[in-house]
């Protein structure tokens, strides 16, 4: 039961992050120590799983795909998305500074933990820098405006889920760039099941393909990939600088001149809360450490 609770909590954290354009649920999975397990579980949907299904070996299939872990994790993600979508949209519109500051605190507090176990050398240092530059370039793209056709929701799901499981790259931000963020939040809030099913099919397809690519890369060059992913997480901070005017990064003073207040005090408080939240989640990870190993 303790394992189930911690997996649901981590799913809630990932789902909350996935709603915010600029923050990746994959980052939270990476920080909370479940990233590689998640990839392993996703790639277990293979020929062996199909054989177990047709043989009626449901219990063996459930263990093969790490079903309890995935059910709890995605249950938490979906609950967070459907329950918090309206709140996050409200905060983004009316209180963006403390919201961005909260996620800054969360990510910055976790960075030392992400890089401490990497065996560093020149190549991995270069990959770290390249990852950071790549993430910064992605975050400078200009959002598009579009009136989407139905098939675009499938494509949006495919692209967004790939970003969501890649630490540092926000699936929500890519939806924003594609002009699909507003249609998707409307679909979630309005329970437009046709649109949601198309988006979900795109997500499933993207998960099955991209998870295998990442798993292959981690197996072949584990520390190099961790260095690259850590760089991406660092570079993504460029996108979530708390003080922004029409997607342009400004100083607190310039922000105050336009909006009457820099909200610096709220930003500092939110930053500290974000750092404390990630520390709390990591303590939870230590408390339930035995539960992070897949069930055999």
């Amino acid at each position: 039961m303790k394992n189930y609770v911690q997996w649901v909590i981590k799913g809630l954290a990932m789902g909350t992050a996935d709603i915010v354009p600029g923050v990746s649920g994959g980052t939270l999975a990476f920080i909370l120590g479940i990233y590689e397990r998640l990839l392993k579980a996703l790639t277990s949907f293979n020929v062996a799983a199909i054989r177990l299904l047709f043989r009626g070996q449901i219990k063996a299939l459930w263990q093969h795909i790490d079903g309890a872990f995935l059910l709890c994790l995605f249950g938490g993600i979906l609950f967070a998305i459907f329950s918090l979508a309206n709140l996050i949209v409200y905060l983004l519109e009316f209180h963006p500074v403390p919201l961005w500051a909260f996620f800054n605190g969360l990510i910055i507090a976790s960075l030392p933990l992400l890089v401490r176990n990497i065996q560093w050398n020149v190549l991995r240092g270069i990959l770290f820098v390249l990852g950071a530059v790549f993430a910064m370039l992605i975050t400078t793209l200009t959002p598009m405006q579009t009136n989407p056709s139905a098939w675009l929701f499938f494509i949006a799901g495919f692209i967004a889920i790939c970003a969501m499981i890649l630490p540092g790259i926000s699936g929500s931000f890519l939806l924003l760039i594609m002009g699909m963020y507003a249609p998707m939040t409307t679909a979630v809030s309005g329970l437009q099941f046709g649109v949601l099913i198309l988006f979900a099919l795109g997500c499933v397809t993207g998960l099955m393909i991209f998870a295998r690519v990442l798993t292959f890369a981690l197996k072949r060059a584990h520390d190099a990939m961790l260095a690259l992913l850590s760089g991406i997480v660092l570079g993504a901070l460029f996108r979530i600088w708390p003080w922004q005017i029409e997607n342009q990064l400004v100083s607190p003073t310039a922000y105050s001149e336009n909006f009457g207040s820099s909200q610096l005090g709220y930003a500092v408080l939110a930053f500290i809360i974000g750092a404390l939240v990630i520390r709390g989640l990591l303590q939870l990870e230590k408390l339930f450490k035995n539960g992070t190993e897949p069930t055999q």
Side-chain angles (χ1 to χ4, degrees), residues 11 26 31 49-50 60 63 74 82 110 132-133 139 143 145 149 155 158 172 175 184 195-196 199 202 240 249 281:
I31 291 168
I50 295 173
Q63 293 178 338
F74 280 98
F82 281 95
S110 67
V133 171
T139 61
Q145 300 294 328
S149 302
I155 300 299
F158 184 96
S172 296
L175 288 177
M184 279 309 307
V195 168
L196 294 176
F199 186 80
I240 60 173
L249 279 60
L281 290 172

Side-chain angles (χ1 to χ4, degrees), residues 45-62 64-65:
F45 289 85
N46 50 23
V47 175
I50 295 173
R51 287 173 181 164
L52 291 172
L53 177 63
F54 281 108
R55 290 172 185 168
Q57 296 176 293
I58 303 302
K59 184 177 180 180
L61 173 63
W62 189 249
H64 175 76
I65 64 172

Side-chain angles (χ1 to χ4, degrees), residues 79-94:
F79 182 81
I81 289 174
F82 281 95
S83 62
L84 297 177
N86 289 333
L87 173 62
I88 295 298
V89 170
Y90 169 81
L91 292 174
L92 282 170
E93 183 173 356
F94 296 105

